[in-house]
Amino acid sequence: MTRGKFITLEGGEGVGKTTNLAFIKDYLERHNISVVVTREPGGTALAEKIRRLLLDTGSEAITEHAELLLVFAARAQHIKHVIEPSLAKGAWVISDRFTDATYAYQGGGRNMRISTIEWLEHLVQGNLKPDLTVLLDAPVEIGLQRAKIRGALDRFEAEKSSFFEHVRRAYLLQAELHPERIKLIKANCPLDDVQRALMDVLRPLLR
Ligand code: TMP
């Protein structure tokens, strides 16, 4: 059985991940690929509980270390119970966010040490890396407006716009550091253009 491919979709708030994820799923299925769509934080029962803890605007402030460890705890469950078994069965896994989000939000947004994130990445993932990461990029204000229209803000969405400027910068830096894996797509243009760009980056994986 040929191992499936692992694709992750990244970007700041309100860049259109949901719409484009559905497009990627559809595109791959039209090429007779079996697809598993999942998300982070989340993807398993326990990881979804951790997601609620992370997004909840509860009364007790979550420390940066607790936040980082919760993100990786959820990821450990997700890898073991969903990502690895699906890839081993030959399915392609598309995850709405993965570890680049940790470099962007905890590394960029929270200004946590990159070496700490690298250490946890190695501990939790071993050699697992996405085969392709699509980074949807749009100016922060555009994304935040879209997120606000969607309804009540979660614990991350409620951050200041300077937080998201740092997140965006950290994502762009990740793309610069890993150009072979991370493909940057401008998200503030007509949907047709975004989807054409998506097909361009997916096509080489189909060979
Ligand atoms: P979303 O899936 O609706 O975008 O919400 C997930 C939130 O979690 C988003 O604001 C980014 C945040 N997040 C992190 O801070 N670190 C991570 O590693 C991941 C995967 C998500």
Side-chain angles (χ1 to χ4, degrees), residues 68-115:
L68 180 67
L69 292 168
L70 284 170
V71 160
F72 271 106
R75 184 161 299 138
Q77 292 299 112
H78 191 208
I79 291 170
K80 170 88 177 169
H81 295 297
V82 175
I83 300 176
E84 280 295 357
S86 304
L87 294 173
K89 276 189 223 144
W92 288 34
V93 175
I94 316 172
S95 184
D96 181 343
R97 299 194 188 280
F98 193 62
T99 309
D100 293 300
T102 313
Y103 284 98
Y105 282 79
Q106 281 66 50
R110 304 270 188 245
N111 200 21
M112 296 196 74
R113 264 202 211 144
I114 297 306
S115 57

Side-chain angles (χ1 to χ4, degrees), residues 20-147:
N20 289 306
L21 196 134
F23 176 82
I24 296 173
K25 177 176 189 281
D26 213 58
Y27 178 80
L28 294 176
E29 284 177 344
R30 274 188 276 126
H31 287 83
N32 299 317
I33 290 167
S34 136
V35 176
V36 172
V37 170
T38 185
R39 68 171 177 184
E40 286 211 351
T44 78
L46 177 55
E48 289 290 333
K49 283 189 192 166
I50 297 174
R51 177 188 179 90
R52 288 198 284 280
L53 296 176
L54 280 163
L55 299 193
D56 186 30
T57 49
S59 52
E60 180 177 330
I62 301 182
T63 73
E64 289 171 354
H65 283 117
E67 181 177 290
L68 180 67
L69 292 168
L70 284 170
V71 160
F72 271 106
R75 184 161 299 138
Q77 292 299 112
H78 191 208
I79 291 170
K80 170 88 177 169
H81 295 297
V82 175
I83 300 176
E84 280 295 357
S86 304
L87 294 173
K89 276 189 223 144
W92 288 34
V93 175
I94 316 172
S95 184
D96 181 343
R97 299 194 188 280
F98 193 62
T99 309
D100 293 300
T102 313
Y103 284 98
Y105 282 79
Q106 281 66 50
R110 304 270 188 245
N111 200 21
M112 296 196 74
R113 264 202 211 144
I114 297 306
S115 57
T116 310
I117 300 174
E118 283 170 345
W119 186 81
L120 286 166
E121 179 183 27
H122 186 68
L123 176 77
V124 169
Q125 290 168 227
N127 292 324
L128 178 70
K129 290 262 164 84
D131 296 288
L132 169 70
T133 297
V134 174
L135 172 58
L136 297 170
D137 179 61
V140 166
E141 286 313 319
I142 292 179
L144 285 182
Q145 269 165 22
R146 280 199 214 162

